[in-house]
Amino acid sequence: MQRVVVRNSTMQLPTAAKLVGVLGMSALAFLFVSLVLNWLPAGVRTVGLLPFAISGGVIIGWRVLGMQSGKGWPQVFGLGGRAAFYLGLYVLFFLGTQQMMTKALRMRYDGPVDAIVGVIAEGISIGISLVRLDVILLLFIGGMVSAMLSEYAARRWP
């Protein structure tokens, strides 16, 4: 006898809240990268940063904003802050990995563990240089606006 497995497939179904979350976080990723490029230290590789950040905005908008929208206005601010934090970590991880690969090709690391630790160290050092009021305000206000628009879309078009 065969088993029938019923699974919750609402994660894959597109909704208006997910679409608005994707558009909002992608726009925020574009604005964030265009601002961050001005404040990066000299010598940091940024090849492919914009498409990577926008793809991160798509993933975060779909999985974080779109999935959690529709649960009420009081939770919007926490949701927007979480999405903005994830986007910032996503970009810093990419930049840290780029710097680690540059140093690894120059044989600056003794082994693979040093290279993995180097990703974190490079990401932290780049993140420290980006702790500026305009960068932080853009990231978190943009995350809040994206979350509010996604919540509105979840209520308007369920």
Side-chain angles (χ1 to χ4, degrees), residues 2-156:
Q2 286 185 334
R3 279 182 142 174
V4 176
V5 178
V6 178
R7 64 180 192 189
N8 186 3
S9 63
T10 58
M11 183 178 75
Q12 291 87 11
L13 294 176
T15 61
K18 290 179 184 178
L19 176 66
V20 171
V22 164
L23 293 175
M25 289 305 291
S26 297
L28 177 61
F30 176 78
L31 292 174
F32 179 60
V33 167
S34 63
L35 181 64
V36 159
L37 289 177
N38 297 328
W39 300 113
L40 285 176
V44 174
R45 290 189 49 172
T46 59
V47 176
L49 177 61
L50 185 62
F52 190 81
I54 289 176
S55 69
V58 167
I59 292 168
I60 293 168
W62 187 273
R63 302 282 304 212
V64 177
L65 288 184
M67 298 279 293
Q68 300 295 321
S69 293
K71 295 186 177 179
W73 288 105
Q75 296 170 350
V76 166
F77 298 109
L79 184 62
R82 185 176 354 141
F85 179 72
Y86 290 163
L87 183 64
L89 283 181
Y90 197 77
V91 169
L92 287 178
F93 176 74
F94 178 76
L95 290 172
T97 304
Q98 285 262 354
Q99 287 301 106
M100 183 275 300
M101 290 301 292
T102 301
K103 288 184 177 181
L105 291 175
R106 294 180 186 160
M107 303 300 239
R108 302 280 171 98
Y109 297 115
D110 293 332
V113 175
D114 290 335
I116 292 172
V117 172
V119 169
I120 297 168
E122 293 294 329
I124 289 173
S125 68
I126 293 170
I128 288 172
S129 69
L130 295 179
V131 176
R132 302 184 52 85
L133 185 62
D134 55 349
V135 174
I136 293 171
L137 282 178
L138 172 76
L139 195 59
F140 283 102
I141 290 175
M144 300 296 173
V145 169
S146 295
M148 284 191 278
L149 291 174
S150 182
E151 179 69 26
Y152 176 75
R155 291 179 177 275
R156 177 74 172 92

